[in-house]
Every structure is written in structure tokens, then in C-alpha cells.
């Protein structure tokens, strides 16, 4: 009987300990107090903005990078045969930065080669601007989120030390918990948001560079086409 009671008490103690160790993310945020809730809400909004921009840009860049591998061969055939209108129509039917650069070059055929090159470069600058639209916001989030998290850390520690000062250095741990929660949760949240935004930014930059390289290669190929003897 005593053995059974002992086992029951041990099981009850283990159950209580397991319950005490379980802490949901929501409880962690709420226990941090008003400061923690406000800062983490700001970080959550920043995370939402970062994810929206990332996925919106990744789909836009993916669409911009897709082009028929036979596109330039068709342009070459049209220009060689003097079918400039057919070349313009093909460019108009192809929705991509490469096609728009080529269309700008085709529309300048007959003018000096330097003028054609300048027109293509200007069009390329506009296309790059479109590709990089709002990407800088990700860089801002990546830098600002950890700083906001650290701001929460400082605020939390100030609250904790304020409680200690108000109680003459003998504050109970329960009174310090709110400040400590604010310090820890905001730091973690800021770092998580910053890391996600940083990775997303670098991935977009890498994908954008590949499209820009393809645009530059197309421009060179088009200019070489114009330099070929008829």
C-alpha cells in the first residue's frame, strides 16, 4: 500500500513538472507584458511584409526569366530577311525583359550603333528597376528587426531593474518575470524576423542577377547581329 502511494505521488510530481515545463508561444508573448506584445506585433507586421514582398518578387522574377530558347534565332531570321515588323511583333508577343530590350533595339535599326546601344542600356535600366522593386524593403527589415528586438531587450531589462529598485533590491522573482520575458521574447522574435528577411533578400538578389546577366547577354548578341555582314 505504501509502495503504491509512493508511486502515485512520484507520478503526480512528474506530471506537475511536465506541465510546468510546457509553455506555448502565445503564453510566452502574453507573459512579457504590454511592451513585449507591442514590439512583437510590430515584428509580426514586418515579417508579413517581408514574406509578401519575397513571394511577390520571386514569382515576378521567375516569370521574367522564362523565355523561349529559340527567341533570338527567330529575331535573327527576321532581321536577316528584312522583316522588322515581324521581329517587333514577336517581341510584343513575348512578355519578358529580354524581349523588351530586343524590341527597343529593333525599333532603332537604321540609326548609328551607338544610339542603338544607348537605347538598349536605358531600357535595361528600367527593366532592372522593375525587377528590384521593393527588394530594398527586405534589406531594411533584415537590419531593423534585430534592432527592434534589442530595443525590447533593453526595455525589458529596464523594467526588471526598476522593479528591483522600487522594492529596495528585494523584489520577488514574480515581479521580475515580466521584464525578463520582454527582454528574451523580443530578442528572439527580432532575430528570427531579421534572419528570414536577410535570407529572402539575398535569394532575390541572386535570382535578379541571373536575369540581368541574361539581359546583358541578349544585348550583346543583338548588337553582334547588327554587326554581321548581310
Amino acid at each position: 500500500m505504501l509502495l503504491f502511494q509512493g508511486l502515485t505521488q512520484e507520478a503526480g510530481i512528474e506530471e506537475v513538472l511536465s506541465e510546468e515545463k510546457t509553455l506555448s508561444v502565445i503564453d510566452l508573448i502574453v507573459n512579457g507584458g504590454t511592451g513585449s506584445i507591442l514590439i512583437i506585433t510590430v515584428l509580426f507586421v514586418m515579417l508579413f511584409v517581408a514574406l509578401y514582398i519575397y513571394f511577390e518578387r520571386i514569382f515576378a522574377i521567375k516569370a521574367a526569366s522564362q523565355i523561349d530558347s529559340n527567341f533570338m534565332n527567330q529575331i535573327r531570321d527576321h532581321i536577316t530577311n528584312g522583316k522588322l515588323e515581324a521581329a517587333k511583333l514577336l517581341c510584343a508577343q513575348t512578355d519578358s525583359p529580354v524581349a523588351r530590350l530586343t524590341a527597343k533595339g529593333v525599333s532603332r535599326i537604321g540609326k548609328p550603333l551607338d544610339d542603338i546601344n544607348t537605347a538598349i542600356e536605358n531600357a535595361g535600366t528600367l527593366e532592372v528597376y522593375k525587377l528590384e522593386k521593393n527588394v530594398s524593403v527586405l534589406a531594411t527589415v533584415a537590419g531593423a528587426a534585430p534592432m527592434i528586438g534589442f530595443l525590447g531587450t533593453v526595455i525589458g531589462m529596464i523594467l526588471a531593474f526598476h522593479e528591483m529598485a522600487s522594492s529596495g533590491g528585494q523584489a520577488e522573482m514574480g515581479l521580475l518575470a515580466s521584464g525578463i520575458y520582454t527582454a528574451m521574447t523580443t530578442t528572439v522574435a527580432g532575430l528570427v524576423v531579421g534572419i528570414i528577411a536577410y535570407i529572402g533578400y539575398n535569394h532575390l538578389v541572386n535570382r535578379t542577377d541571373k536575369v540581368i546577366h541574361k539581359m546583358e547577354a541578349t544585348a550583346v548578341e543583338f548588337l553582334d547581329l547588327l554587326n554581321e555582314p548581310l
Side-chain angles (χ1 to χ4, degrees):
M1 184 67 178
L2 293 175
L3 179 61
F4 177 75
Q5 290 178 349
L7 293 174
T8 303
Q9 291 176 353
E10 290 180 0
I13 292 173
E14 291 179 356
E15 182 178 356
V16 171
L17 290 176
S18 62
E19 290 179 355
E20 290 179 351
K21 292 180 180 179
T22 303
L23 184 64
S24 67
V25 176
I26 296 178
D27 291 336
L28 193 63
I29 296 174
V30 172
N31 290 335
T34 304
S36 175
I37 294 174
L38 289 176
I39 291 176
I40 291 180
T41 299
V42 172
L43 291 172
F44 178 78
V45 172
M46 294 175 68
L47 177 61
F48 175 80
V49 171
L51 290 176
Y52 173 80
I53 292 175
Y54 172 77
F55 286 108
E56 188 272 334
R57 284 292 86 199
I58 202 68
F59 288 126
I61 293 172
K62 183 178 180 181
S65 63
Q66 293 178 348
I67 188 169
D68 187 3
S69 59
N70 198 39
F71 173 77
M72 286 307 297
N73 291 331
Q74 292 177 304
I75 292 294
R76 180 186 299 274
D77 292 339
H78 290 323
I79 293 177
T80 302
N81 296 324
K83 300 179 180 179
L84 298 184
E85 292 300 324
K88 293 179 182 179
L89 180 61
L90 177 61
C91 293
Q93 293 174 343
T94 306
D95 185 16
S96 72
V98 170
R100 287 189 283 271
L101 289 186
T102 305
K104 182 64 67 174
V106 172
S107 65
R108 295 294 192 275
I109 290 179
K111 296 184 178 181
L113 199 60
D114 289 340
D115 292 345
I116 298 176
N117 187 29
T118 301
I120 293 176
E121 288 180 353
N122 292 336
T125 301
L126 294 176
E127 293 298 331
V128 171
Y129 175 78
K130 293 178 183 178
L131 290 174
E132 295 178 344
K133 179 183 177 182
N134 294 329
V135 174
S136 60
V137 177
L138 279 180
T140 302
V141 173
M147 295 176 66
I148 294 176
F150 291 143
L151 174 63
T153 302
V154 174
I155 293 175
M157 297 309 296
I158 289 175
L159 293 175
F161 283 113
H162 175 72
E163 291 293 341
M164 292 181 62
S166 299
S167 60
Q170 298 181 354
E172 298 180 0
M173 289 302 298
L175 297 176
L176 302 178
S178 177
I180 295 174
Y181 270 128
T182 300
M184 296 300 101
T185 55
T186 54
T187 300
V188 172
L191 290 174
V192 169
V193 175
I195 290 171
I196 292 175
Y198 181 75
I199 293 174
Y201 171 78
N202 282 280
H203 184 235
L204 289 179
V205 169
N206 183 51
R207 293 291 299 270
T208 302
D209 287 343
K210 291 181 179 179
V211 178
I212 293 174
H213 176 73
K214 186 179 295 186
M215 291 165 55
E216 291 174 346
T218 301
V220 171
E221 185 177 357
F222 180 78
L223 293 175
D224 290 341
L225 171 62
L226 298 182
N227 284 324
E228 291 179 359
L230 300 177

